[in-house]
PDB file of all heavy atoms in Angstrom:
ATOM      1  N   PHE G 526    -138.732-102.310 -34.533  1.00  0.00           N
ATOM      2  CA  PHE G 526    -137.879-101.414 -33.741  1.00  0.00           C
ATOM      3  C   PHE G 526    -138.709-100.445 -32.903  1.00  0.00           C
ATOM      4  O   PHE G 526    -138.518-100.314 -31.702  1.00  0.00           O
ATOM      5  CB  PHE G 526    -136.953-100.625 -34.668  1.00  0.00           C
ATOM      6  CG  PHE G 526    -136.262 -99.472 -33.991  1.00  0.00           C
ATOM      7  CD1 PHE G 526    -135.197 -99.686 -33.131  1.00  0.00           C
ATOM      8  CD2 PHE G 526    -136.698 -98.160 -34.199  1.00  0.00           C
ATOM      9  CE1 PHE G 526    -134.568 -98.623 -32.504  1.00  0.00           C
ATOM     10  CE2 PHE G 526    -136.076 -97.106 -33.570  1.00  0.00           C
ATOM     11  CZ  PHE G 526    -135.004 -97.333 -32.718  1.00  0.00           C
ATOM     12  N   VAL G 527    -139.660 -99.810 -33.561  1.00  0.00           N
ATOM     13  CA  VAL G 527    -140.441 -98.780 -32.872  1.00  0.00           C
ATOM     14  C   VAL G 527    -141.237 -99.367 -31.714  1.00  0.00           C
ATOM     15  O   VAL G 527    -141.395 -98.745 -30.674  1.00  0.00           O
ATOM     16  CB  VAL G 527    -141.378 -98.068 -33.872  1.00  0.00           C
ATOM     17  CG1 VAL G 527    -142.315 -97.137 -33.145  1.00  0.00           C
ATOM     18  CG2 VAL G 527    -140.559 -97.291 -34.883  1.00  0.00           C
ATOM     19  N   HIS G 528    -141.710-100.598 -31.904  1.00  0.00           N
ATOM     20  CA  HIS G 528    -142.570-101.170 -30.884  1.00  0.00           C
ATOM     21  C   HIS G 528    -141.851-102.056 -29.879  1.00  0.00           C
ATOM     22  O   HIS G 528    -142.483-102.714 -29.060  1.00  0.00           O
ATOM     23  CB  HIS G 528    -143.724-101.932 -31.535  1.00  0.00           C
ATOM     24  CG  HIS G 528    -144.672-101.010 -32.211  1.00  0.00           C
ATOM     25  ND1 HIS G 528    -144.651-100.790 -33.573  1.00  0.00           N
ATOM     26  CD2 HIS G 528    -145.635-100.184 -31.735  1.00  0.00           C
ATOM     27  CE1 HIS G 528    -145.570 -99.911 -33.894  1.00  0.00           C
ATOM     28  NE2 HIS G 528    -146.181 -99.516 -32.797  1.00  0.00           N
ATOM     29  N   SER G 529    -140.531-102.111 -29.936  1.00  0.00           N
ATOM     30  CA  SER G 529    -139.827-102.914 -28.934  1.00  0.00           C
ATOM     31  C   SER G 529    -139.781-102.144 -27.618  1.00  0.00           C
ATOM     32  O   SER G 529    -139.716-100.916 -27.588  1.00  0.00           O
ATOM     33  CB  SER G 529    -138.407-103.222 -29.409  1.00  0.00           C
ATOM     34  OG  SER G 529    -137.616-102.078 -29.291  1.00  0.00           O
ATOM     35  N   ASP G 530    -139.820-102.907 -26.511  1.00  0.00           N
ATOM     36  CA  ASP G 530    -139.824-102.276 -25.185  1.00  0.00           C
ATOM     37  C   ASP G 530    -138.610-101.378 -24.997  1.00  0.00           C
ATOM     38  O   ASP G 530    -138.703-100.284 -24.459  1.00  0.00           O
ATOM     39  CB  ASP G 530    -139.826-103.348 -24.088  1.00  0.00           C
ATOM     40  CG  ASP G 530    -141.117-104.147 -24.127  1.00  0.00           C
ATOM     41  OD1 ASP G 530    -142.069-103.667 -24.769  1.00  0.00           O
ATOM     42  OD2 ASP G 530    -141.155-105.233 -23.535  1.00  0.00           O
ATOM     43  N   VAL G 531    -137.476-101.895 -25.463  1.00  0.00           N
ATOM     44  CA  VAL G 531    -136.238-101.132 -25.290  1.00  0.00           C
ATOM     45  C   VAL G 531    -136.366 -99.751 -25.925  1.00  0.00           C
ATOM     46  O   VAL G 531    -136.029 -98.742 -25.327  1.00  0.00           O
ATOM     47  CB  VAL G 531    -135.051-101.878 -25.955  1.00  0.00           C
ATOM     48  CG1 VAL G 531    -133.757-101.125 -25.730  1.00  0.00           C
ATOM     49  CG2 VAL G 531    -134.969-103.295 -25.433  1.00  0.00           C
ATOM     50  N   THR G 532    -136.862 -99.733 -27.147  1.00  0.00           N
ATOM     51  CA  THR G 532    -136.963 -98.458 -27.860  1.00  0.00           C
ATOM     52  C   THR G 532    -137.899 -97.497 -27.149  1.00  0.00           C
ATOM     53  O   THR G 532    -137.570 -96.334 -26.948  1.00  0.00           O
ATOM     54  CB  THR G 532    -137.493 -98.678 -29.290  1.00  0.00           C
ATOM     55  OG1 THR G 532    -136.717 -99.677 -29.888  1.00  0.00           O
ATOM     56  CG2 THR G 532    -137.420 -97.402 -30.076  1.00  0.00           C
ATOM     57  N   ILE G 533    -139.062 -98.028 -26.776  1.00  0.00           N
ATOM     58  CA  ILE G 533    -140.047 -97.151 -26.155  1.00  0.00           C
ATOM     59  C   ILE G 533    -139.476 -96.524 -24.880  1.00  0.00           C
ATOM     60  O   ILE G 533    -139.542 -95.312 -24.670  1.00  0.00           O
ATOM     61  CB  ILE G 533    -141.343 -97.934 -25.853  1.00  0.00           C
ATOM     62  CG1 ILE G 533    -141.990 -98.319 -27.184  1.00  0.00           C
ATOM     63  CG2 ILE G 533    -142.301 -97.107 -25.010  1.00  0.00           C
ATOM     64  CD1 ILE G 533    -143.195 -99.212 -27.066  1.00  0.00           C
ATOM     65  N   GLU G 534    -138.835 -97.400 -24.092  1.00  0.00           N
ATOM     66  CA  GLU G 534    -138.258 -96.905 -22.846  1.00  0.00           C
ATOM     67  C   GLU G 534    -137.173 -95.871 -23.133  1.00  0.00           C
ATOM     68  O   GLU G 534    -137.094 -94.832 -22.515  1.00  0.00           O
ATOM     69  CB  GLU G 534    -137.640 -98.100 -22.107  1.00  0.00           C
ATOM     70  CG  GLU G 534    -137.568 -97.929 -20.607  1.00  0.00           C
ATOM     71  CD  GLU G 534    -136.934 -99.162 -20.003  1.00  0.00           C
ATOM     72  OE1 GLU G 534    -137.568-100.235 -20.055  1.00  0.00           O
ATOM     73  OE2 GLU G 534    -135.784 -99.055 -19.546  1.00  0.00           O
ATOM     74  N   LYS G 535    -136.358 -96.212 -24.119  1.00  0.00           N
ATOM     75  CA  LYS G 535    -135.252 -95.338 -24.479  1.00  0.00           C
ATOM     76  C   LYS G 535    -135.748 -93.980 -24.965  1.00  0.00           C
ATOM     77  O   LYS G 535    -135.229 -92.935 -24.581  1.00  0.00           O
ATOM     78  CB  LYS G 535    -134.474 -96.003 -25.619  1.00  0.00           C
ATOM     79  CG  LYS G 535    -132.992 -95.763 -25.534  1.00  0.00           C
ATOM     80  CD  LYS G 535    -132.308 -96.534 -26.618  1.00  0.00           C
ATOM     81  CE  LYS G 535    -131.229 -95.663 -27.176  1.00  0.00           C
ATOM     82  NZ  LYS G 535    -129.906 -96.014 -26.953  1.00  0.00           N
ATOM     83  N   ILE G 536    -136.750 -94.020 -25.790  1.00  0.00           N
ATOM     84  CA  ILE G 536    -137.301 -92.776 -26.310  1.00  0.00           C
ATOM     85  C   ILE G 536    -137.820 -91.918 -25.156  1.00  0.00           C
ATOM     86  O   ILE G 536    -137.522 -90.736 -25.065  1.00  0.00           O
ATOM     87  CB  ILE G 536    -138.443 -93.052 -27.315  1.00  0.00           C
ATOM     88  CG1 ILE G 536    -137.867 -93.589 -28.623  1.00  0.00           C
ATOM     89  CG2 ILE G 536    -139.240 -91.780 -27.596  1.00  0.00           C
ATOM     90  CD1 ILE G 536    -138.903 -93.975 -29.656  1.00  0.00           C
ATOM     91  N   GLN G 537    -138.532 -92.574 -24.253  1.00  0.00           N
ATOM     92  CA  GLN G 537    -139.091 -91.812 -23.147  1.00  0.00           C
ATOM     93  C   GLN G 537    -137.988 -91.220 -22.270  1.00  0.00           C
ATOM     94  O   GLN G 537    -138.045 -90.072 -21.858  1.00  0.00           O
ATOM     95  CB  GLN G 537    -140.031 -92.695 -22.327  1.00  0.00           C
ATOM     96  CG  GLN G 537    -141.395 -92.791 -23.014  1.00  0.00           C
ATOM     97  CD  GLN G 537    -142.212 -93.957 -22.530  1.00  0.00           C
ATOM     98  OE1 GLN G 537    -141.699 -94.820 -21.807  1.00  0.00           O
ATOM     99  NE2 GLN G 537    -143.469 -94.004 -22.916  1.00  0.00           N
ATOM    100  N   ARG G 538    -136.968 -92.055 -22.020  1.00  0.00           N
ATOM    101  CA  ARG G 538    -135.889 -91.573 -21.164  1.00  0.00           C
ATOM    102  C   ARG G 538    -135.158 -90.398 -21.809  1.00  0.00           C
ATOM    103  O   ARG G 538    -134.874 -89.395 -21.177  1.00  0.00           O
ATOM    104  CB  ARG G 538    -134.903 -92.720 -20.887  1.00  0.00           C
ATOM    105  CG  ARG G 538    -134.361 -92.621 -19.470  1.00  0.00           C
ATOM    106  CD  ARG G 538    -133.426 -93.768 -19.110  1.00  0.00           C
ATOM    107  NE  ARG G 538    -133.790 -95.030 -19.742  1.00  0.00           N
ATOM    108  CZ  ARG G 538    -132.890 -95.790 -20.388  1.00  0.00           C
ATOM    109  NH1 ARG G 538    -131.647 -95.405 -20.496  1.00  0.00           N
ATOM    110  NH2 ARG G 538    -133.262 -96.941 -20.911  1.00  0.00           N
TER     111      ARG G 538
END
Side-chain angles (χ1 to χ4, degrees):
F526 167 76
V527 172
H528 291 100
S529 75
D530 295 344
V531 182
T532 309
I533 293 174
E534 206 180 292
K535 216 176 139 111
I536 287 176
Q537 280 162 350
R538 216 177 326 131

